[in-house]
Amino acid sequence: MPLPTSPVIRRARLGAELRQLRRREALTLEQVCDRLGWASTSKLSRIELGQSRPDLADVLDLLDVYKVPTPARDALIVIARDAATSRGWWKTLGEMSERQRTYAELEAGAADIVEYQPAVVPGLLQTPAYARVLVAAGAQLTPEVDVEAEVRARALRQEVLRRAYPPRYTAVLAEAVCDPGDLPVAVWREQLRHLVAVTGLSHVTVRLLPRGAAGGGLHPLTPYSCYAFPDPADPRTVMLEALTTDVRLATVLDVDRYERMTEALMASALSPEETVTVLARRVGEE
């Protein structure tokens, strides 16, 4: 059974490949668009930057202009189809916000996911009640948010951890994540119990970072997620989570730095077994 692919990553890869082909032919954006009769360079620019779902006919035209031979042509057509597709479980939820859709597309095609969270449980591990409290709090800043739709979307994303071929998933959580804060006690206890339960999945690992511990003196300033994909040619990706938007990093230099950061945090974190013991103790289930 073929593994799923991530459309957002395949778009990025396709764009990079097409840009390289254009430069190999020493063609400018304007020259290519003139040959194809495209009204402006913005269409080609967006394809090369991975910012739009490419039309397969447009990609075939570009491959003709760049004189791409078989089998390289066939390989790029496969990537283009993956980049253009909207198949997959996320298609069934048109109400999913653009931010959640980006994460969903990354998660859908990932082979490995590692997340660091300093304050809250990551979306893939949240219970509906916990997610509802967080989304409702955020809605104070963005009243247009449909709280229940966001909660449903988050639950749908979580299905990736229970599919036939799930990604290897690791969450590194600062110990503050275990604090109840302003959460209702019942919501907090249910969430911690869920964290304990989900570690029973062989592909899921949770590691707590004790207070005062830091990865060799490294202190991440924001939550982040690292994604690697089955096809090693697909670019490894890091997502930085901010208040109003998210930043996607895909250069080798950027990703390598975050992977080194993750290794340092792992070295300071409790083992998976110690983490489960601490979580269970917090809810009186030791």
Side-chain angles (χ1 to χ4, degrees):
M1 177 179 176
L3 290 172
T5 58
S6 171
V8 67
I9 291 301
R10 297 300 252 186
R11 289 197 294 271
R13 171 145 172 222
L14 176 68
E17 298 269 9
L18 292 173
R19 182 169 58 251
Q20 185 176 30
L21 288 168
R22 176 175 61 78
R23 290 174 176 173
R24 187 195 66 185
E25 296 297 312
L27 294 170
T28 65
L29 292 170
E30 291 79 5
Q31 289 171 326
V32 173
C33 291
D34 285 344
R35 292 189 186 187
L36 294 176
W38 292 359
S40 72
T41 61
S42 62
K43 178 178 178 179
L44 179 54
S45 179
R46 288 181 60 81
I47 291 174
E48 290 190 357
L49 292 173
Q51 294 176 343
S52 62
R53 293 185 184 275
D55 183 281
L56 184 57
D58 291 337
V59 174
L60 293 175
D61 288 341
L62 289 169
L63 296 180
D64 288 341
V65 170
Y66 302 148
K67 305 180 181 66
V68 180
T70 304
R73 180 186 181 92
D74 293 339
L76 285 170
I77 290 172
V78 170
I79 295 172
R81 285 175 174 153
D82 290 340
T85 187
S86 58
R87 71 174 182 269
W89 49 265
W90 64 88
K91 184 182 178 182
T92 65
L93 198 66
E95 62 189 353
M96 185 179 286
S97 68
E98 189 61 31
R99 291 184 76 178
Q100 284 227 58
R101 188 177 295 275
T102 296
Y103 280 99
E105 290 193 350
L106 288 166
E107 293 156 358
D112 287 276
I113 303 172
V114 179
E115 298 197 88
Y116 166 73
Q117 270 287 354
V120 300
V121 174
L124 287 180
L125 302 181
Q126 292 173 4
T127 64
Y130 182 94
R132 187 172 292 108
V133 171
L134 294 186
V135 175
Q140 297 178 52
L141 300 177
T142 51
E144 69 275 11
V145 168
D146 184 331
V147 174
E148 291 306 315
E150 287 291 292
V151 172
R152 289 193 297 272
R154 209 157 296 192
L156 191 65
R157 283 172 52 202
Q158 293 172 2
E159 293 180 13
V160 74
L161 295 180
R162 298 184 182 276
R163 72 187 185 199
Y165 297 93
R168 289 178 293 273
Y169 177 82
T170 300
V172 182
L173 311 178
E175 192 174 355
V177 171
C178 297
D179 295 338
D182 295 329
L183 288 171
V185 173
V187 171
W188 171 68
R189 288 184 179 276
E190 179 191 37
Q191 179 61 70
L192 292 191
R193 289 191 183 101
H194 179 66
L195 285 178
V196 172
V198 79
T199 60
L201 299 173
S202 62
H203 54 281
V204 174
T205 301
V206 179
R207 304 277 301 272
L208 282 180
L209 193 64
R211 288 182 177 84
L218 296 173
H219 298 270
L221 299 178
T222 61
Y224 67 87
S225 307
C226 301
Y227 304 88
F229 303 92
D231 187 339
D234 284 347
R236 294 170 299 150
T237 298
V238 173
M239 290 291 290
L240 306 183
E241 185 180 340
L243 178 63
T244 59
T245 189
D246 301 307
V247 178
R248 190 172 77 203
L249 305 175
T251 68
V252 173
L253 180 61
D254 284 335
V255 173
D256 282 349
R257 285 176 174 168
Y258 273 90
E259 289 183 347
R260 291 198 299 273
M261 170 86 77
T262 300
E263 290 173 2
L265 292 174
M266 293 278 204
S268 299
L270 299 179
S271 70
E273 296 76 18
E274 291 170 327
T275 294
V276 171
T277 297
V278 170
L279 292 173
R281 183 184 301 126
R282 294 296 300 269
V283 291
E285 295 180 353
E286 187 177 33

